[in-house]
Amino acid sequence: MRVLPFGDDAVLVELDDLAQVRALDDAVRAARSRGGWDAVVDQVPAARTLLLRGSGPVEHAALAAAVHGLELGSAHHAVGPELELPVTYDGPDLADVAQATGRSVEEVVRRHTARLYTVAFGGFMPGFAYLVGLDPVLQVPRLASPRERVPAGSVAIADEFSAVYPAATPGGWRLLGRCATTLWDLEREQPALLVPGTRVRFVATPR
């Protein structure tokens, strides 16, 4: 674990892997809920880092010491709300994923809907969230050549992650279906529906 100054008002914690990020993210949230971490007003997890930001200048050394003093659990325990996202499984890559994994289309859908996912961190655009918990059988690589346009609402998988595209954008994930739920809305008090810690279940709907 390395804790580095990130401007005057933040520190960036570098970790070895996503499991460590999630454990530290949980530990910091728990510590903040107990009080005594008033210097931190926001935390932003990523694949290998955790950004801790203050409302103003922070004492980098003191915050680094506090981070190093946390006890990290050996396993992640999601504490966020649980949401259901309805999905129509008719994506253009569904048959290819079935072929690549040696399963039927029906089994791919069954395996994708059987898991409870957790938002690990946000992605490359507002509202995009990386969900962990994907069945290992369904862990397939990204497309060799990304699509120029992935429709909004596309439900996708790539490597160890699942996700839903909140808006139309280029992308290289494998598309399994589509979801009509709005993931990013500036009119909401919290614009992003899927924030770190949120648990997600995909529910198959008729085509």
Side-chain angles (χ1 to χ4, degrees), residues 121-130 149-154 163-171 173 183-184 191-194:
F121 55 95
F124 63 96
M125 64 184 303
F128 190 98
Y130 284 78
R149 184 180 186 277
V150 174
S154 294
V164 183
Y165 283 78
T169 178
W173 290 40
L183 301 184
W184 176 261
L193 182 65
L194 303 180

Side-chain angles (χ1 to χ4, degrees), residues 150-164:
V150 174
S154 294
V155 177
I157 57 175
D159 302 321
E160 63 185 295
F161 302 109
S162 190
V164 183

Side-chain angles (χ1 to χ4, degrees), residues 85-95 105-115 117 134 138 155-157 162-164 174-179 200-207:
L85 296 180
V87 180
T88 302
Y89 284 91
D90 59 357
D93 299 319
L94 184 57
V105 166
E106 292 75 17
E107 185 174 352
V108 169
V109 173
R110 180 182 63 78
R111 286 179 177 273
H112 192 251
T113 56
R115 307 290 287 219
Y117 300 83
L134 182 65
L138 301 183
V155 177
I157 57 175
S162 190
V164 183
R174 310 272 180 165
L175 308 184
L176 301 184
R178 49 197 167 90
C179 174
V200 176
R201 287 192 184 276
F202 293 109
V203 179
T205 59
R207 297 186 182 184

Side-chain angles (χ1 to χ4, degrees), residues 9 38 45-46 73-74 84 122 137 141 150 156 177 187 199 204:
D9 63 346
D38 296 339
S74 59
E84 289 190 352
V137 169
V150 174
E187 298 301 318
R199 294 167 292 175

Side-chain angles (χ1 to χ4, degrees), residues 11-22:
V11 297
L12 185 70
V13 187
E14 295 182 341
L15 299 124
D16 290 338
D17 53 37
L18 180 56
Q20 290 186 3
V21 172
R22 298 180 68 206

